[in-house]
Amino acid sequence: MSGSRAQPESSHIAEAAPPPRWGSTPRPAHPTPLHPGAWWLWAIGLGTAATRTTNPLLLTLLIATSAYVVATCRPASPAARSYSAFLKLALAVLLIRLTFATVLGSPIPGTHTLVTLPELPLPHWAQGIRIGGEVTAESVLFALYDALRLAALLICVGAANALANPARLLKSLPGALYEAGVAVVVALTFTPNLIADVHRLGAARRLRGRSDRGIRGLLHVGLPVLEGALERSVALAAAMDARGYGRTAAVPAPVRRTTTALTLGGLLGVCAGTYGLLTAEAGTYGLPLLLAGLTAALAGLRLGGRRSPRTRYRPARWDLRAGLVACSGAAVAALLTLAASTDPAALHPGVVPLTSPTLPLWPAAAVLLGLLPSLLAPKEPS
């Protein structure tokens, strides 16, 4: 035996943490992520608000609100990187709309001529269409306001796609919508994965000293991306088949008929009730018919879930934070709709005569309610 003294065990083994007290609740390692449906309801509310105005100042404020929430709350996942692609798509919509208004003209009359393009003569059967001619400031501003509204709507959809995890969203759907939900989730995850593959292959080509620009670079990047998409499709189909996708349980015939009747009748009631709310003549029965249709449709979905029994591992919980986030988007949509009916001139600035838009105060304050998720929602762990 060696004469050296053995080191005490405390120098090699860290002191164990004290056991939790009886009855105490262990603190979770990560905060619970927000329900994905809350993010989509919040984004739909902001998108609905964008459709109620053509004021460029309000639309810019809506875009800035959604961008700030995405910057502070989006998780570190491939789906979150798709937000930049939606920004580029919105910019492309702006440029295409302005190009069409410049080259093909606009029905908006104007007196402030910006430039006069060479006009291409057209045959008599193409009356009402022109290529070239005078480009007025009124027509350009009208096209800009209209395109900015569509761009804001696309950016709101991109925000929901970046913030909501599609896999967790699928877990929240009722059993009757499971198959349709799988198709939607696969479609939603296709764009982020495609963008991630393009960035990965472009970076690999640049590391090898090859350019990823131009037609040649696009072909060298596009073919591996297409091959990867096909491989993912085959792997997804095999995984879905192994998990029993598409197989249904035995349900009695009366339950199937009741489910079909409730679902179809509920959807017809929703359509009729919505029409009643949008028309002044049928405003008396619109809301009751809409509520009855929603109740019947939800009952049909509840019964239809018996055909596809499935379990949920760690289902998403709808808590107070999710409700507040969804309510913030609904509040923005409701207040902008109210402002559009009470003060349409502020939310729809005119271009004939040419006037500069102003920022209405209380509609702008209503848009700022959309920033509430940045204070409530925790960042999801990567």
Side-chain angles (χ1 to χ4, degrees):
M1 178 181 295
S2 175
S4 60
R5 299 177 62 183
Q7 296 293 332
E9 295 183 0
S10 59
S11 62
H12 297 280
I13 302 176
E15 184 178 357
R21 292 180 298 175
W22 177 262
S24 62
T25 303
R27 182 174 295 180
H30 297 286
T32 305
L34 201 67
H35 195 285
W39 285 123
W40 273 102
L41 292 176
W42 169 81
I44 289 173
L46 264 63
T48 303
T51 62
R52 298 301 178 181
T53 179
T54 56
N55 191 318
L57 301 179
L58 283 177
L59 291 173
T60 304
L61 189 60
L62 275 169
I63 293 173
T65 299
S66 65
Y68 181 78
V69 173
V70 170
T72 55
C73 299
R74 67 176 174 178
S77 62
R81 302 172 189 170
S82 63
Y83 185 69
S84 59
F86 281 92
L87 292 178
K88 295 176 183 178
L89 180 60
L91 181 60
V93 167
L94 280 173
L95 295 178
I96 292 174
R97 184 68 176 88
L98 290 176
T99 302
F100 282 178
T102 302
V103 177
L104 302 179
S106 175
I108 302 299
T111 57
H112 299 78
T113 303
L114 297 177
V115 66
T116 302
L117 301 177
E119 187 171 356
L120 182 65
L122 297 176
H124 66 280
W125 49 265
Q127 294 180 358
I129 303 175
R130 69 175 181 86
I131 300 177
E134 291 185 352
V135 180
T136 62
E138 289 84 354
S139 63
V140 171
L141 280 180
F142 178 80
L144 177 63
Y145 294 170
D146 191 47
L148 191 60
R149 177 169 56 180
L150 180 57
L153 183 59
L154 288 174
I155 290 174
C156 291
V157 174
N161 199 16
L163 292 169
N165 191 342
R168 295 184 65 243
L169 182 63
L170 178 61
K171 295 179 182 179
S172 307
L173 293 177
L177 299 178
Y178 177 70
E179 296 181 359
V182 168
V184 173
V185 168
V186 169
L188 288 176
T189 54
F190 174 76
T191 301
N193 290 330
L194 185 67
I195 294 171
D197 285 348
V198 170
H199 287 310
R200 178 176 55 82
L201 292 172
R205 286 184 59 84
R206 288 192 298 271
L207 288 175
R208 294 183 177 93
R210 300 175 183 176
S211 175
D212 58 343
R213 306 287 182 181
I215 302 298
R216 184 182 181 87
L218 181 62
L219 291 176
H220 283 280
V221 171
L223 291 178
V225 168
L226 180 60
E227 182 182 359
L230 291 175
E231 290 179 355
R232 278 197 304 271
S233 300
V234 174
L236 178 63
M240 292 169 65
D241 183 67
R243 288 170 173 82
Y245 175 76
R247 297 167 187 169
T248 58
V251 178
V255 176
R256 292 200 303 268
R257 299 191 190 99
T258 306
T259 302
T260 304
L262 287 175
T263 305
L264 293 180
L267 293 178
L268 290 176
V270 169
C271 294
T274 305
Y275 175 78
L277 290 177
L278 296 177
T279 57
E281 294 81 3
T284 56
Y285 65 84
L287 183 59
L289 193 57
L290 177 62
L291 295 177
L294 285 175
T295 304
L298 291 176
L301 292 177
R302 182 71 176 178
L303 287 177
R306 297 184 178 182
R307 296 184 65 247
S308 56
R310 57 193 180 94
T311 58
R312 291 185 177 93
Y313 176 68
R314 292 182 181 178
R317 302 292 183 183
W318 186 277
D319 53 5
L320 180 60
R321 294 176 305 158
L324 291 176
V325 169
C327 289
S328 66
V332 174
L335 292 176
L336 264 293
T337 303
L338 178 62
S341 59
T342 56
D343 192 7
L347 269 69
H348 299 278
V351 295
V352 180
L354 194 61
T355 56
S356 59
T358 59
L359 182 64
L361 294 181
W362 76 267
V367 172
L368 294 179
L369 291 176
L371 293 173
L372 188 63
S374 63
L375 304 176
L376 297 177
K379 184 176 180 181
E380 295 188 13
S382 58

